[in-house]
Amino acid sequence: MKGHLAVKLEYGDYIPEPIGEDEYSGKFNLRVPRSLHRQLVERVAAESVSLNQYCLYKLSR
């Protein structure tokens, strides 16, 4: 990483500032087709978990 940054500085390339953890809310909206929404709701009902828990599990895999 030091070498990469050294080259960036040598050529005057932009180096973005690190983004802090407080920059993220942990929330985002996602629109899905009605058919997918129905499938997800049916799946979570069968598994007795919330839609949020199920989607979080699937996204983290």
Side-chain angles (χ1 to χ4, degrees), residues 32-46:
V32 297
R34 290 179 183 193
S35 59
L36 177 57
H37 189 191
R38 181 178 52 332
Q39 289 173 355
L40 291 169
V41 169
E42 290 170 355
R43 177 65 57 98
V44 301

Side-chain angles (χ1 to χ4, degrees), residues 49-61:
V49 296
S50 72
L51 183 56
N52 188 68
Q53 288 174 319
Y54 184 76
C55 290
L56 178 60
Y57 167 73
K58 286 296 197 179
L59 286 170
S60 66
R61 293 177 57 191

Side-chain angles (χ1 to χ4, degrees), residues 5-50:
L5 291 175
V7 171
K8 296 286 254 179
L9 290 170
E10 180 180 339
Y11 286 92
D13 293 344
Y14 173 72
I15 301 173
E17 291 292 324
I19 299 173
E21 288 294 319
D22 58 336
E23 298 291 323
Y24 300 100
S25 68
K27 299 177 186 179
F28 69 94
N29 293 321
L30 176 65
R31 298 197 184 278
V32 297
R34 290 179 183 193
S35 59
L36 177 57
H37 189 191
R38 181 178 52 332
Q39 289 173 355
L40 291 169
V41 169
E42 290 170 355
R43 177 65 57 98
V44 301
E47 297 191 20
S48 299
V49 296
S50 72

